[in-house]
Amino acid sequence: MQSSQPTPHDKMMFQLNLRQRGISDQAVLKAMGDVPRELFVTSLDRGYAYRDTPLGIACGQTISQPFVVAYMTEQLDLEPGHRVLEIGTGSGYQAAILSKLSREVVTLERFRTLADRARLVLKELQCTNVDVVLGDGFDLPETLGTFDRIMVTAAMEEIPEALLGRLEPNGILIAPVGPMNDRQLLIRVVRTADGFDRQELVAVRFVPALQGIAREL
């Protein structure tokens, strides 16, 4: 029977798996080791928290598998002074990882239940540089300003021009792009002096990014 809590062996294998799958950025690996993933999953799934698999959370959403979290974070090429935008807070786990590697994280969530829960867990972990905002990732308030890095953690059929416009010069955006109910491609976009350079990375599968703030939940 699976234990209701992760073990030291689970955490050791978690780190080993990330390294074996090609994650080499030491700061990313440290952040993945420092953030207790079990706090971001349901109580029934805590024993599975360090397996390399996505898990269900409230509102029909998921917490991404650890490798995908680490890979997307590594591809952002974060620096300590960066200001980061995340579209799709979910459990708050990805925001917690980003908080260890950047100056400020603004994370948007369309489900109030998820935003409130993430806010509580992030406060418990003293992630004081994270601002959880109930909002629409397709309609960002002008007051949010611009960002050095943007991560989208839900699938978009295409990346909105308005979102690309929030990137600072030399900024990087990572997003899963493709059909909502099929596999998508992880796209890395760099803002250059001449426009935007796009690079296709790996195939992924994310829940869809939806417009508007959810009326319920």
Side-chain angles (χ1 to χ4, degrees), residues 85-88 136-140 150-161 163-164 173-180 183-185 187 198 204 206-211:
L85 173 66
E86 180 192 25
I87 304 295
D136 179 358
F138 289 90
D139 186 21
L140 300 178
I150 297 175
M151 179 184 287
V152 181
T153 58
M156 293 181 160
E157 294 190 349
E158 59 184 36
I159 302 170
E161 291 295 324
L163 190 56
L164 291 172
L173 177 147
I174 298 279
V177 178
M180 288 188 176
R183 300 184 84 185
Q184 304 100 23
L185 278 174
I187 304 295
R198 294 169 62 102
V204 289
F206 278 80
V207 297
L210 301 176
Q211 292 185 325

Side-chain angles (χ1 to χ4, degrees), residues 62-95:
T62 59
I63 178 173
S64 296
Q65 72 183 93
F67 170 73
V68 171
V69 172
Y71 181 80
M72 291 179 70
T73 304
E74 190 172 63
Q75 288 295 323
L76 275 186
D77 194 19
L78 287 162
E79 296 178 7
H82 281 159
R83 184 169 190 253
V84 184
L85 173 66
E86 180 192 25
I87 304 295
T89 310
S91 68
Y93 179 65
Q94 178 70 78

Side-chain angles (χ1 to χ4, degrees), residues 2 8 22 26-27 31-32 43 59 62 88 100 106 117 119 125 127 144 148 160 163 166 171-172 177 202 215:
Q2 176 70 27
Q26 293 303 306
M32 295 291 292
S43 57
C59 305
T62 59
K100 302 290 185 184
V106 177
R117 167 67 179 158
R119 209 173 277 120
L125 293 176
C127 296
L144 289 184
D148 302 293
L163 190 56
R166 293 304 182 103
I172 298 173
V177 178
V202 295
R215 291 185 179 182

Side-chain angles (χ1 to χ4, degrees), residues 12-194:
M12 181 182 72
M13 294 306 295
F14 170 83
Q15 282 280 333
L16 181 61
N17 179 67
L18 293 176
R19 292 173 185 271
Q20 288 178 336
R21 296 197 63 182
I23 305 300
S24 59
D25 187 309
Q26 293 303 306
V28 172
L29 288 166
K30 184 177 188 305
M32 295 291 292
D34 288 347
V35 175
R37 192 169 186 258
E38 66 271 23
L39 296 186
F40 296 90
V41 303
T42 68
S43 57
L44 292 176
D45 280 339
R46 286 191 170 179
Y48 304 98
Y50 290 92
R51 291 189 180 183
D52 196 24
T53 184
L55 296 169
I57 57 174
C59 305
Q61 305 301 294
T62 59
I63 178 173
S64 296
Q65 72 183 93
F67 170 73
V68 171
V69 172
Y71 181 80
M72 291 179 70
T73 304
E74 190 172 63
Q75 288 295 323
L76 275 186
D77 194 19
L78 287 162
E79 296 178 7
H82 281 159
R83 184 169 190 253
V84 184
L85 173 66
E86 180 192 25
I87 304 295
T89 310
S91 68
Y93 179 65
Q94 178 70 78
I97 298 294
L98 295 172
S99 78
K100 302 290 185 184
L101 301 164
S102 58
R103 173 176 59 86
E104 179 186 359
V105 179
V106 177
T107 178
L108 264 72
E109 176 54 56
R110 66 187 299 269
F111 290 105
R112 186 178 300 276
T113 296
L114 292 179
D116 289 348
R117 167 67 179 158
R119 209 173 277 120
L120 286 173
V121 179
L122 291 164
K123 182 178 180 181
E124 180 182 344
L125 293 176
Q126 298 183 336
C127 296
T128 56
N129 60 337
V130 180
D131 185 15
V132 180
V133 178
L134 181 68
D136 179 358
F138 289 90
D139 186 21
L140 300 178
E142 285 297 325
T143 53
L144 289 184
T146 56
F147 298 87
D148 302 293
R149 300 291 187 266
I150 297 175
M151 179 184 287
V152 181
T153 58
M156 293 181 160
E157 294 190 349
E158 59 184 36
I159 302 170
E161 291 295 324
L163 190 56
L164 291 172
R166 293 304 182 103
L167 274 179
E168 288 280 354
N170 302 312
I172 298 173
L173 177 147
I174 298 279
V177 178
M180 288 188 176
N181 296 312
D182 201 352
R183 300 184 84 185
Q184 304 100 23
L185 278 174
L186 201 59
I187 304 295
R188 185 178 193 261
V189 181
V190 180
R191 184 164 199 168
T192 69
D194 300 320

